[in-house]
Short mmCIF file of all heavy atoms in Angstrom, two decimals:
data_model
loop_
_atom_site.label_atom_id
_atom_site.label_comp_id
_atom_site.label_asym_id
_atom_site.label_seq_id
_atom_site.Cartn_x
_atom_site.Cartn_y
_atom_site.Cartn_z
N VAL A 1 26.40 -96.44 -121.72
CA VAL A 1 26.49 -97.37 -120.59
C VAL A 1 26.00 -96.70 -119.32
O VAL A 1 25.20 -97.26 -118.57
CB VAL A 1 27.93 -97.90 -120.43
CG1 VAL A 1 28.08 -98.73 -119.16
CG2 VAL A 1 28.33 -98.72 -121.66
N SER A 2 26.50 -95.50 -119.07
CA SER A 2 26.13 -94.77 -117.85
C SER A 2 26.22 -93.28 -118.10
O SER A 2 27.15 -92.81 -118.74
CB SER A 2 27.07 -95.14 -116.71
OG SER A 2 26.86 -94.31 -115.58
N LEU A 3 25.27 -92.56 -117.53
CA LEU A 3 25.33 -91.11 -117.63
C LEU A 3 26.46 -90.54 -116.78
O LEU A 3 26.79 -89.36 -116.91
CB LEU A 3 23.98 -90.49 -117.29
CG LEU A 3 22.89 -90.75 -118.33
CD1 LEU A 3 21.57 -90.14 -117.90
CD2 LEU A 3 23.30 -90.23 -119.69
N HIS A 4 27.07 -91.36 -115.93
CA HIS A 4 28.28 -90.92 -115.23
C HIS A 4 29.38 -90.60 -116.25
O HIS A 4 30.32 -89.89 -115.94
CB HIS A 4 28.80 -91.99 -114.26
CG HIS A 4 28.17 -91.95 -112.92
ND1 HIS A 4 28.45 -90.99 -111.98
CD2 HIS A 4 27.26 -92.78 -112.35
CE1 HIS A 4 27.74 -91.23 -110.88
NE2 HIS A 4 27.01 -92.30 -111.09
N CYS A 5 29.25 -91.13 -117.46
CA CYS A 5 30.22 -90.88 -118.53
C CYS A 5 29.76 -89.79 -119.49
O CYS A 5 30.40 -89.55 -120.51
CB CYS A 5 30.49 -92.18 -119.30
SG CYS A 5 31.19 -93.50 -118.30
N ALA A 6 28.65 -89.15 -119.19
CA ALA A 6 28.11 -88.09 -120.06
C ALA A 6 28.94 -86.81 -119.94
O ALA A 6 29.77 -86.68 -119.03
CB ALA A 6 26.66 -87.80 -119.69
N ASP A 7 28.69 -85.87 -120.82
CA ASP A 7 29.37 -84.57 -120.80
C ASP A 7 28.92 -83.79 -119.56
O ASP A 7 27.75 -83.39 -119.46
CB ASP A 7 29.00 -83.80 -122.08
CG ASP A 7 29.62 -82.42 -122.15
OD1 ASP A 7 30.24 -81.95 -121.17
OD2 ASP A 7 29.47 -81.79 -123.21
N PRO A 8 29.83 -83.54 -118.60
CA PRO A 8 29.43 -82.84 -117.38
C PRO A 8 29.04 -81.38 -117.62
O PRO A 8 28.41 -80.77 -116.76
CB PRO A 8 30.66 -82.95 -116.48
CG PRO A 8 31.80 -83.19 -117.40
CD PRO A 8 31.23 -83.94 -118.58
N GLY A 9 29.37 -80.83 -118.78
CA GLY A 9 28.92 -79.48 -119.12
C GLY A 9 27.43 -79.43 -119.42
O GLY A 9 26.81 -78.37 -119.38
N LYS A 10 26.85 -80.60 -119.72
CA LYS A 10 25.42 -80.69 -120.02
C LYS A 10 24.63 -81.35 -118.89
O LYS A 10 23.46 -81.04 -118.68
CB LYS A 10 25.21 -81.48 -121.31
CG LYS A 10 25.78 -80.79 -122.52
CD LYS A 10 25.58 -81.61 -123.76
CE LYS A 10 26.21 -80.91 -124.96
NZ LYS A 10 26.15 -81.73 -126.16
N LEU A 11 25.27 -82.31 -118.20
CA LEU A 11 24.60 -83.05 -117.14
C LEU A 11 25.60 -83.41 -116.06
O LEU A 11 26.60 -84.05 -116.33
CB LEU A 11 23.98 -84.34 -117.72
CG LEU A 11 23.17 -85.19 -116.77
CD1 LEU A 11 21.82 -84.51 -116.46
CD2 LEU A 11 22.91 -86.58 -117.37
N ASN A 12 25.34 -82.96 -114.83
CA ASN A 12 26.15 -83.39 -113.70
C ASN A 12 25.47 -84.61 -113.09
O ASN A 12 24.27 -84.59 -112.81
CB ASN A 12 26.23 -82.30 -112.64
CG ASN A 12 27.26 -81.22 -112.93
OD1 ASN A 12 27.49 -80.35 -112.10
ND2 ASN A 12 27.90 -81.23 -114.08
N VAL A 13 26.25 -85.66 -112.93
CA VAL A 13 25.75 -86.90 -112.34
C VAL A 13 26.55 -87.15 -111.07
O VAL A 13 27.79 -87.20 -111.12
CB VAL A 13 25.88 -88.08 -113.33
CG1 VAL A 13 25.37 -89.36 -112.69
CG2 VAL A 13 25.13 -87.78 -114.61
N LEU A 14 25.84 -87.29 -109.96
CA LEU A 14 26.47 -87.41 -108.65
C LEU A 14 25.94 -88.62 -107.90
O LEU A 14 24.75 -88.92 -108.00
CB LEU A 14 26.15 -86.19 -107.77
CG LEU A 14 26.24 -84.81 -108.34
CD1 LEU A 14 25.65 -83.82 -107.35
CD2 LEU A 14 27.68 -84.47 -108.64
N ASP A 15 26.81 -89.23 -107.13
CA ASP A 15 26.38 -90.21 -106.14
C ASP A 15 26.72 -89.63 -104.78
O ASP A 15 27.84 -89.16 -104.56
CB ASP A 15 27.10 -91.55 -106.33
CG ASP A 15 26.63 -92.32 -107.55
OD1 ASP A 15 25.58 -91.97 -108.11
OD2 ASP A 15 27.33 -93.27 -107.93
N ILE A 16 25.76 -89.65 -103.88
CA ILE A 16 25.94 -89.13 -102.52
C ILE A 16 25.75 -90.28 -101.54
O ILE A 16 24.75 -91.00 -101.58
CB ILE A 16 24.95 -87.99 -102.23
CG1 ILE A 16 25.25 -86.81 -103.17
CG2 ILE A 16 25.03 -87.56 -100.76
CD1 ILE A 16 24.29 -85.66 -103.07
N ALA A 17 26.74 -90.44 -100.65
CA ALA A 17 26.70 -91.53 -99.67
C ALA A 17 25.60 -91.29 -98.65
O ALA A 17 25.60 -90.26 -97.97
CB ALA A 17 28.05 -91.63 -98.96
N PRO A 18 24.66 -92.23 -98.51
CA PRO A 18 23.61 -92.06 -97.51
C PRO A 18 24.19 -92.01 -96.09
O PRO A 18 23.65 -91.33 -95.22
CB PRO A 18 22.70 -93.27 -97.70
CG PRO A 18 23.36 -94.17 -98.66
CD PRO A 18 24.49 -93.44 -99.30
N SER A 19 25.32 -92.67 -95.88
CA SER A 19 25.95 -92.68 -94.56
C SER A 19 26.49 -91.31 -94.17
O SER A 19 26.78 -91.06 -93.00
CB SER A 19 27.08 -93.70 -94.52
OG SER A 19 28.08 -93.37 -95.48
N SER A 20 26.61 -90.39 -95.15
CA SER A 20 27.13 -89.05 -94.86
C SER A 20 26.02 -88.07 -94.47
O SER A 20 26.30 -86.91 -94.20
CB SER A 20 27.90 -88.51 -96.07
OG SER A 20 27.03 -88.19 -97.15
N LEU A 21 24.78 -88.54 -94.45
CA LEU A 21 23.63 -87.68 -94.18
C LEU A 21 23.06 -87.94 -92.79
O LEU A 21 22.90 -89.10 -92.40
CB LEU A 21 22.54 -87.93 -95.23
CG LEU A 21 22.95 -87.65 -96.67
CD1 LEU A 21 21.97 -88.31 -97.63
CD2 LEU A 21 23.04 -86.16 -96.90
N VAL A 22 22.72 -86.87 -92.10
CA VAL A 22 22.09 -87.00 -90.78
C VAL A 22 20.71 -87.64 -90.89
O VAL A 22 20.33 -88.47 -90.07
CB VAL A 22 22.00 -85.62 -90.09
CG1 VAL A 22 21.15 -85.69 -88.83
CG2 VAL A 22 23.38 -85.10 -89.77
N ASP A 23 19.97 -87.27 -91.95
CA ASP A 23 18.60 -87.78 -92.13
C ASP A 23 18.39 -88.16 -93.60
O ASP A 23 17.87 -87.35 -94.38
CB ASP A 23 17.59 -86.73 -91.68
CG ASP A 23 16.17 -87.25 -91.65
OD1 ASP A 23 15.89 -88.32 -92.25
OD2 ASP A 23 15.32 -86.58 -91.03
N PRO A 24 18.79 -89.37 -94.00
CA PRO A 24 18.62 -89.78 -95.39
C PRO A 24 17.18 -89.72 -95.88
O PRO A 24 16.93 -89.41 -97.04
CB PRO A 24 19.16 -91.21 -95.42
CG PRO A 24 20.08 -91.31 -94.26
CD PRO A 24 19.48 -90.40 -93.22
N GLY A 25 16.22 -89.99 -95.01
CA GLY A 25 14.82 -89.93 -95.41
C GLY A 25 14.38 -88.52 -95.79
O GLY A 25 13.69 -88.31 -96.79
N ALA A 26 14.79 -87.54 -95.01
CA ALA A 26 14.47 -86.14 -95.31
C ALA A 26 15.19 -85.70 -96.58
O ALA A 26 14.63 -84.95 -97.39
CB ALA A 26 14.84 -85.24 -94.14
N PHE A 27 16.41 -86.17 -96.78
CA PHE A 27 17.15 -85.83 -98.00
C PHE A 27 16.44 -86.42 -99.22
O PHE A 27 16.30 -85.77 -100.25
CB PHE A 27 18.59 -86.34 -97.90
CG PHE A 27 19.49 -85.87 -99.00
CD1 PHE A 27 19.89 -84.54 -99.07
CD2 PHE A 27 19.94 -86.74 -99.97
CE1 PHE A 27 20.73 -84.10 -100.10
CE2 PHE A 27 20.77 -86.31 -101.00
CZ PHE A 27 21.16 -84.99 -101.06
N HIS A 28 15.98 -87.66 -99.09
CA HIS A 28 15.23 -88.31 -100.16
C HIS A 28 13.99 -87.48 -100.53
O HIS A 28 13.71 -87.25 -101.70
CB HIS A 28 14.83 -89.72 -99.74
CG HIS A 28 14.19 -90.53 -100.80
ND1 HIS A 28 14.06 -91.88 -100.71
CD2 HIS A 28 13.61 -90.20 -101.98
CE1 HIS A 28 13.44 -92.34 -101.79
NE2 HIS A 28 13.15 -91.34 -102.56
N ALA A 29 13.28 -87.01 -99.52
CA ALA A 29 12.08 -86.19 -99.77
C ALA A 29 12.45 -84.88 -100.49
O ALA A 29 11.73 -84.44 -101.40
CB ALA A 29 11.37 -85.89 -98.45
#
């Protein structure tokens, strides 16, 4: 269903809030 449910020892899956970034565009790059 989602890799958020995958084994974190093999794959770390993260969501990062764009509102927490000073420059989301530079972070995207």
Side-chain angles (χ1 to χ4, degrees):
V1 173
S2 171
L3 290 178
H4 275 286
C5 299
D7 178 353
K10 295 179 182 174
L11 184 72
N12 279 186
V13 179
L14 315 171
D15 288 346
I16 296 176
S19 61
S20 71
L21 300 163
V22 170
D23 188 344
F27 189 71
H28 186 164

